Structures are given as C-alpha cells and as structure tokens.
Amino acid sequence: MNEYIESLKSQEKLKISIDKSINFSWEHFKIAGPCSVEGPSIIDIANEIKKCGATALRAGAYKPCTFPILKSKSGGWKEGLKKEGLDLLKEAKKSSGLPIVTEVMDVRMIEEIAEVADIFQVGTRNFQNYSLLDELGKQNKPILLKRGTWATLDEILGASERILVGGNKNLAICLRGVVGMPSYRHIFPSIRWAPDLMMIPALKEFTNIPIIYDPSHSTGYRNFVPAVCKASLAIGADGLIIEAHPDPDNSISDPDQAVSFETLKKIFND
Ligand code: PEP
Ligand code: MN
C-alpha cells in the first residue's frame, strides 16, 4: 500500500458522539419523506411515515433544481417553498415528534435552517462548498453530508474531515449515486446516477463515520428502491434515507423515484 493510503488509514478513526438532546442514533437510521415540502400535506405525511417505521422526516424547503427557472412548477413552487416550507416542517415535527432532516444550501442560511432542522442535510451540489462545511463544523447539530456525484474516496474523507476538525463530530456520510452512463437510461429515463454501493465497505476501511444510503437518488426509479435498500444494508450501510410520497407519480419533484407508503412500510419492516 502506498504512503498516501497509509496516511489516510492511520488517521484516528473518529468516534461519533451523538447529541443526547436529540435522542436518536445514526445506527439503522430510517429517514423518509418527500423530496420537497409541497404544502400542509407534510404534516399528515410525517405521521404516516412514522407509522411505516421511519425515525426521521426528510423534505427540502429549499431545493437546488438543475433548471431553476425553465422547469419551475406552477402554483408558485420555484426551488421549494422556502420559509413557508420551514414553518410547515416545524408543524410536522410538532405533530409527529419526528426529527427533521432538511437541506442547508448556503452559509447565510444556517441560522434560519437551524431553527427547524435537527439534522442539516448538505446536498450533493454543496459537497465541496468549503465555507459551508467549515461553518457546519462549528454547529452543534448533526450533519448528513451527501456525496458529490463526482467525488472520489479521498475527497469524501477530506470533506468529512472539514466538518470534524471544526469540532462537530455528529456526522454521517450519505451515498446517493454517482455519475455514470447507465446503459439502461433509454429504457428508464428517470435514471440519472449509478448506485455507489461498493463505496460503503471501501469507506469503512478508513473511517467509522456512519454511512446512510440513499436508494432514491441513486436509482432514480421506484421499482429498484427496495432491492437497493436491502443491498446497501447487506454491504454495511448504517441507515437509509428514502423518498416517499402519498401519491408518488404526482410528487412535485423527483416523482419517478418516490415510493408509496405501502412500499416504505415493507422496506422498513422486512
Ligand atoms: C435530495 O435529497 O432531495 C437531494 C436534492 O439530493 P442530492 O443533493 O443528493 O441530489
Ligand atoms: Mn429528491
């Protein structure tokens, strides 16, 4: 093994200390919910996903969309409901008691998101937003760091280190699929990424940071989600983050990958 790999391996395997006031563990963490907060329906959704076995609610109030204007939806929905979405997440948390996982896209948003989020989600697009990671390293809430679709193993360790050295040890890495050229994309057009399952044992050679797998973005197609959930847990994932919706086909964002509550329940109880 070369010197560079040795130096990565010899870094102290950082123990993750969970903030006791939040009352959860990353182990077998079951996060679910719609891609976006779509309206007051998020309150019922929170209660439903809890019944399915979820231990945290995910939903974006701020959504970084590939096309910010051209493909914005009708009814005022443009890259998320923003402040209104955060207020609805607060209601959903009050009603269900579930901790909230929601995306922070920028340093300037940290304070606002912190009022609602129990876990800051860093999206793929911000995986190497160093000023954001440095700031999140000073926060006292857990971070779910989603892998950049391009990121190598050492870049994942490096981005994690940025948060950890700031003092925030409540970190989980989320693997969510990577750039690839799936030969089946002409048959399943919603598939954009290739599942990155082997990165789970690869990372575990270097770190004990918990790994949460995202079978939704990594497959892009709901029929593949249950199998990839099983596969990711079998290969060592510590938890899952799954997009689920009461009417999956009519999800405002990412409709093809959202699973029904019935499927979600099966996944969590299998
Ligand atoms: C999401 O979780 O809804 C999301 C936008 O994911 P990613 O940042 O992995 O694309
Ligand atoms: Mn999504």
Coordinates of all heavy atoms in Angstrom, one line a residue, residues 35 58 63-64 103 121-125 146-147 176 214 217 241 243 254, ligand 1:
C35 N -39.4 14.4 -1.5 CA -38.3 15.2 -1.9 C -38.4 16.6 -1.4 O -37.5 17.1 -0.7 CB -38.2 15.2 -3.5 SG -36.8 16.1 -4.1
R58 N -37.6 13.5 6.2 CA -36.8 14.3 5.3 C -37.8 15.1 4.4 O -38.8 14.6 4.0 CB -35.9 13.5 4.4 CG -36.6 12.4 3.5 CD -35.9 12.3 2.1 NE -36.1 13.5 1.3 CZ -35.2 14.1 0.6 NH1 -34.0 13.4 0.4 NH2 -35.4 15.2 -0.1
K63 N -34.8 23.9 -2.4 CA -34.4 22.8 -3.4 C -33.5 23.4 -4.5 O -34.0 24.2 -5.2 CB -35.6 22.2 -4.0 CG -36.6 21.5 -3.1 CD -36.0 20.3 -2.4 CE -35.5 19.3 -3.2 NZ -35.0 18.1 -2.4
P64 N -32.3 22.9 -4.5 CA -31.5 23.4 -5.7 C -31.8 22.6 -6.9 O -31.5 21.4 -7.0 CB -30.0 23.0 -5.2 CG -30.2 21.9 -4.2 CD -31.6 22.0 -3.7
E103 N -32.4 20.4 3.9 CA -31.1 20.9 3.3 C -30.8 22.4 3.6 O -31.6 23.2 3.6 CB -31.3 20.7 1.8 CG -30.0 21.2 1.0 CD -29.9 20.6 -0.4 OE1 -30.7 19.7 -0.7 OE2 -29.0 21.0 -1.1
Q121 N -28.9 18.7 6.3 CA -28.5 18.0 5.1 C -27.7 18.9 4.2 O -28.1 20.0 3.8 CB -29.8 17.5 4.3 CG -29.5 16.8 3.0 CD -30.8 16.2 2.4 OE1 -31.7 15.8 3.1 NE2 -30.9 16.3 1.1
V122 N -26.5 18.4 3.8 CA -25.7 19.1 2.8 C -25.9 18.3 1.5 O -25.7 17.1 1.4 CB -24.2 19.1 3.1 CG1 -23.4 19.8 2.0 CG2 -24.0 19.8 4.5
G123 N -26.5 19.0 0.5 CA -26.8 18.3 -0.8 C -25.5 18.1 -1.6 O -24.5 18.7 -1.4
T124 N -25.7 17.2 -2.5 CA -24.6 16.8 -3.5 C -23.9 18.0 -4.1 O -22.7 18.0 -4.2 CB -25.3 16.0 -4.6 OG1 -25.1 14.6 -4.3 CG2 -24.8 16.2 -6.0
R125 N -24.7 19.0 -4.4 CA -24.1 20.2 -5.1 C -23.2 21.0 -4.2 O -22.4 21.7 -4.7 CB -25.2 21.0 -5.7 CG -26.0 20.3 -6.8 CD -27.4 20.9 -7.0 NE -28.2 20.2 -8.0 CZ -28.8 19.1 -7.7 NH1 -28.8 18.5 -6.5 NH2 -29.5 18.4 -8.7
K146 N -24.1 14.7 1.8 CA -24.3 13.9 0.7 C -23.1 13.9 -0.3 O -22.6 15.0 -0.6 CB -25.6 14.3 0.0 CG -26.8 14.1 0.9 CD -28.2 14.2 0.1 CE -28.6 12.9 -0.5 NZ -29.9 12.9 -1.1
R147 N -22.7 12.8 -0.7 CA -21.5 12.7 -1.6 C -21.8 13.4 -2.9 O -22.8 13.3 -3.6 CB -21.3 11.2 -1.9 CG -20.2 11.0 -2.9 CD -20.2 9.5 -3.4 NE -19.0 9.2 -4.1 CZ -18.6 8.1 -4.6 NH1 -19.4 7.0 -4.5 NH2 -17.5 7.9 -5.3
R176 N -25.3 8.6 -2.5 CA -26.5 8.8 -3.2 C -26.4 8.6 -4.8 O -27.2 9.2 -5.5 CB -27.1 10.3 -2.9 CG -26.0 11.4 -3.0 CD -25.7 11.8 -4.4 NE -26.9 12.6 -5.0 CZ -27.2 12.5 -6.2 NH1 -26.5 11.8 -7.1 NH2 -28.3 13.2 -6.7
D214 N -28.8 6.3 0.2 CA -29.9 6.9 -0.5 C -30.3 6.1 -1.7 O -29.6 6.3 -2.8 CB -29.6 8.4 -0.8 CG -30.7 9.1 -1.6 OD1 -31.6 8.4 -2.2 OD2 -30.6 10.3 -1.8
H217 N -32.2 8.7 -4.9 CA -31.5 9.4 -6.0 C -30.5 8.4 -6.7 O -30.2 8.6 -7.9 CB -30.7 10.6 -5.4 CG -31.6 11.6 -4.9 ND1 -32.2 11.6 -3.6 CD2 -32.2 12.7 -5.5 CE1 -33.0 12.6 -3.4 NE2 -33.1 13.3 -4.5
I241 N -32.0 6.7 3.7 CA -32.8 7.9 3.5 C -33.6 7.7 2.2 O -33.0 7.5 1.1 CB -32.0 9.2 3.5 CG1 -32.9 10.5 3.3 CG2 -30.8 9.2 2.5 CD1 -32.2 11.8 3.6
E243 N -37.0 8.5 -0.4 CA -38.1 9.4 -0.8 C -39.4 8.7 -0.9 O -39.5 7.6 -1.6 CB -37.7 10.2 -2.1 CG -36.6 11.2 -1.8 CD -36.3 12.2 -2.9 OE1 -36.8 12.0 -4.1 OE2 -35.6 13.1 -2.7
D254 N -38.9 14.9 -8.2 CA -38.4 13.5 -8.2 C -39.6 12.5 -8.1 O -39.6 11.6 -7.3 CB -37.5 13.3 -7.1 CG -36.1 13.9 -7.3 OD1 -35.8 14.2 -8.5 OD2 -35.3 14.0 -6.3
Ligands
PEP1 C1 -32.4 15.4 -2.0 O1 -32.1 14.7 -1.1 O2 -33.6 15.7 -2.2 C2 -31.4 15.9 -3.0 C3 -31.6 17.0 -3.6 O3 -30.4 15.1 -3.0 P1 -29.0 15.3 -3.7 O4 -28.4 16.5 -3.1 O5 -28.3 14.0 -3.4 O6 -29.2 15.5 -5.2

